[in-house]
Amino acid sequence: MNRIFSGVQPTGNLHLGNYLGAIRNWVDLQGDYDCIFCIVDLHALTLPQDRELLRAHTREVTAAYLAAGIDPEKCIIFNQSAVPGHSELAWLFACITPLGWLNRMTQFKEKAGKRRDNAGLGLYAYPVLMAADILLYKATHVPVGEDQKQHLELARDIAGAFNRQFGTDYFPLPEPQILGQAARVMSLRDGTAKMSKSDASDYSRINMTDDADTIALKIRKARTDPEPLPETVEGLQGRAEADNLVGIFAALTRTSRADVLGRFGGAMFSEFKDALAAVAVDALGPIASEMQRLVAEPGYVDGVLRRGAERAGEIAHSHLSEIHRIVGLLRP
Ligand code: TYM
C-alpha cells in the first residue's frame, strides 16, 4: 500500500487553513493509504517557544487530529521528537544538500526577514528536516496545503540526490497531494496574505477552537469589497477577498466555486456571510467541542502519542539500519 506522511507544527492557533488545506484531507485519505501523521515539535523549535505552551500545543494538535476524525487504530499519530531517527536522517541529508537549494526557499526568506544573519541554522535547515520526516518512512504521498509545495519539491530533489550519490533506488520520490478548493486559505483581513498561525490579528483567522459566536463575528468583520457577489468564477478575478470567502464556502460544503456562485451570484456579502458563518459553525463546532474534551484528558492523548511513537519508531529503526548500510556507516 502507498504510504502517506504529513504533519503540523505545534505552534498554537490551529486555524481553518490547517483544517481545510491539510487535516480534513487526511481524514478522507486514511482508508486508502498507510498513514503517518506527525506533530512536528522539532520544527516548532526553529523559532523560540515557551516550553509549557509547546507541550500544551503538542497535545492540542493531537486532539485536533483525533477530533477531526483521524483514527489512531488505523493511522500512526506521534510527535516527531519521540522518534530520534528524524534528526539523524536530517543530518545525513544535510551532508548531501547543496546550500544553493536552500537559498531558494521562500519560507526561510519570509521567516528570517531582514535580519538574515541572526536567523538560526535550524530555520535554514527546516526543509531538510522535513525531507527526513517524509523519507524516514519512505512515504510516497504527502497531503499538504499549497504553501508547502516548494518544500516538497526539495524533498524530492534530496531523495533523488541520495539515490544518485549512493547508486541506489532506496527512496521513493514523494508526491505532493494539494487537494480541494481551499489549498490556500487567505487571511480574513487581507485577501493577498495567507491565513497564518502567526498573524498578530486574531480576526485574520478562524481558529479550530473558536466558538460559534466568535466564528460568526470574524466572518461578519471579514474584509470584502462593495460589489455584490459575481455570477461566475471569472468574476472573482481581481477580487481576492471575495474569492477567498467563496473558496472557503465551497470547501466547507464540498462543492465548487461555480456551485456557490450559482446560489449566491448577485447577492450582497451580508447575506452570503450569514450563510458562510452557518456552514463554518456546522463544520467546526463539533470538532472544537471534541478537542476541548480531549485536551481535558491528557492521559488519553499521551497514550495515543506513546503508542504512535512505538509504531513509528519500529519503521524508522529498520529503515535507518538499511540507510546506514547504504551510506557506509559501521554498526559494530
Ligand atoms: P504548518 O504547521 O505550517 O501547517 C500545517 C498544514 O496546514 C497547511 N496550511 C494551509 N493550508 C491552506 N491554507 C492555509 N492558509 C494554510 N496554512 C497552513 C500547510 O500547508 C500544512 O499542510 N512544514 C510543515 C510541517 C511539516 C510537514 C513535514 C508537512 C514538517 N514536516 C512533512 C508534511 C510532511 C508546516 O509548516 O506546516
Side-chain angles (χ1 to χ4, degrees), residues 33 50 67 70 95 119 125 135 137 151 166 175 187 207 241 258 288-289 295 309 322 324:
Y33 293 81
D50 174 276
I70 291 170
C95 296
L135 294 166
Y137 303 94
H151 288 158
F166 297 102
E175 290 285 341
S187 156
N207 297 311
E241 283 83 12
S289 39
V295 165
E322 294 164 352
H324 278 211

Side-chain angles (χ1 to χ4, degrees), residues 9 17-18 126 130 133 144-145 147-148 183 185 194-195 197:
Q9 293 191 69
N18 300 130
Y126 181 111
M130 189 164 153
D133 296 339
V144 284
D147 60 341
Q148 297 301 313
V185 177
K194 191 177 69 171
M195 185 178 283
K197 294 177 192 140

Side-chain angles (χ1 to χ4, degrees), residues 94-135:
C95 296
I96 61 162
T97 306
L99 293 184
W101 291 1
L102 294 177
N103 287 338
R104 289 202 291 270
M105 295 295 116
T106 54
Q107 186 172 299
F108 173 75
K109 289 178 200 161
E110 279 158 25
K111 288 198 177 171
K114 291 199 181 74
R115 304 183 50 192
R116 227 175 131 155
D117 283 352
N118 289 312
L121 178 59
L123 192 63
Y124 189 64
Y126 181 111
V128 177
L129 178 60
M130 189 164 153
D133 296 339
I134 298 163
L135 294 166

